[in-house]
Amino acid sequence: MPDADLLTTAQVCSALGMTPRQIHRLTADGYLEVQQVARNKHGAVKLFSGEQVEAVRQELPRILKKWEIEDGARYGVAAAWRRLANWRTFQRTRSRKERFLNTLSGLPEKSASLLRAAYFLYHLNHYAKAGESYLYELKEKVLAAFSAHFTAEDGLQIYFIPGPARIRLCPDCRRRAQGENRSYLEYARLTGGCPNCRKEEDYFSLYEFLITCDVHRFCFHSPVQIAWKWLKGKEIPQKEGSEREGGYPFGRAIAPGEAAAVNLAEVIAELERFLDAWG
């Protein structure tokens, strides 16, 4: 069990007002040290000393100034333009976030709760894809709660999207692939294997969680191997082809850079509150 005095990346982000990428830079520069590593099935959770984080907080103005000088020397005038672009993105995203959350007050309670969770789940997904893979465990819990407590009436549609089987080639087929100078994956895709090859049906199939209400639209996916246990016994319609995962408040896609304006600690706290209410 991790020490109770240790902080996760999200908690360090909250304490220092920084993004995970900046925490990684603090670690790479030697200002922070990973004290322990906890693990879940999706990845490693790095843990930091609270005392060390506080020491860094007191030194933060000096560290940020040092980074500014280093970035200026490395990137020249582009560094200043990047800072300006990041500031504008932050302001724009904060404004859009406020507008989005304000629109929820006029919706039915369950639809509003679903949309609010979807908004923060989109950002959690972004953080997970940016390297914080341990966050996928929280994503699974939220999607499970969606499937258990919400319906089409609330704005949730779930679809089964069939995918190809995973083929594990038998020794004979592996030899044939080598003889044809093909990779095993390419050979399996071209031939479909033989009766002696092991095939895992639905290995690449997905469940799609589509959340739509008013002008808002969010889309999430979960592999069949994970989501089947939440959806067992439910009649799930089949759909050919999937949407790209994302969030579309006000009818437009949220750009990846905008997600940085929504603090990771806030994202986790919002989703944990959702699970307290619906999990």
Side-chain angles (χ1 to χ4, degrees), residues 78-91:
W81 282 111
R82 185 180 301 171
R83 287 194 299 273
L84 178 60
N86 288 341
W87 181 83
R88 287 174 173 170
T89 297
F90 173 81
Q91 296 293 334

Side-chain angles (χ1 to χ4, degrees), residues 91-225:
Q91 296 293 334
R92 185 169 58 247
T93 304
R94 184 171 63 177
S95 174
R96 188 176 296 120
K97 172 186 169 185
E98 290 173 356
R99 288 170 53 217
F100 171 77
L101 295 178
N102 285 339
T103 65
L104 302 184
S105 60
L107 297 176
E109 182 179 358
K110 285 190 72 177
S111 295
S113 181
L114 178 64
L115 277 172
R116 186 182 184 99
Y119 177 84
F120 287 102
L121 184 60
Y122 167 76
H123 290 286
L124 183 92
N125 218 27
H126 172 73
Y127 279 117
K129 290 179 178 178
E132 307 297 316
S133 60
Y134 61 90
L135 295 172
Y136 284 122
E137 184 170 69
L138 181 54
K139 176 185 177 180
E140 289 179 13
K141 293 178 181 178
V142 173
L143 290 180
F146 285 176
S147 66
H149 300 289
F150 297 87
T151 66
E153 185 177 336
D154 307 311
L156 173 67
Q157 293 281 357
I158 303 175
Y159 297 99
F160 172 73
I161 301 173
R166 181 167 75 166
I167 301 172
R168 295 183 179 274
L169 297 179
C170 67
D172 287 341
C173 284
R174 289 201 295 269
R175 282 192 292 272
R176 293 189 191 102
Q178 292 169 357
E180 296 178 16
N181 199 27
R182 299 184 187 278
S183 70
Y184 293 159
L185 183 62
E186 182 185 14
Y187 184 87
R189 186 173 63 248
L190 289 173
T191 68
C194 74
N196 294 324
C197 295
R198 195 172 79 187
K199 298 179 181 180
E200 298 178 53
E201 300 296 336
D202 289 330
Y203 185 86
F204 294 105
S205 298
L206 298 170
Y207 284 108
E208 181 175 87
F209 294 73
L210 190 60
I211 297 161
T212 55
C213 188
D214 197 14
V215 294
H216 309 304
R217 185 180 184 90
F218 295 88
C219 181
F220 306 101
H221 299 133
S222 184
V224 164
Q225 298 92 329

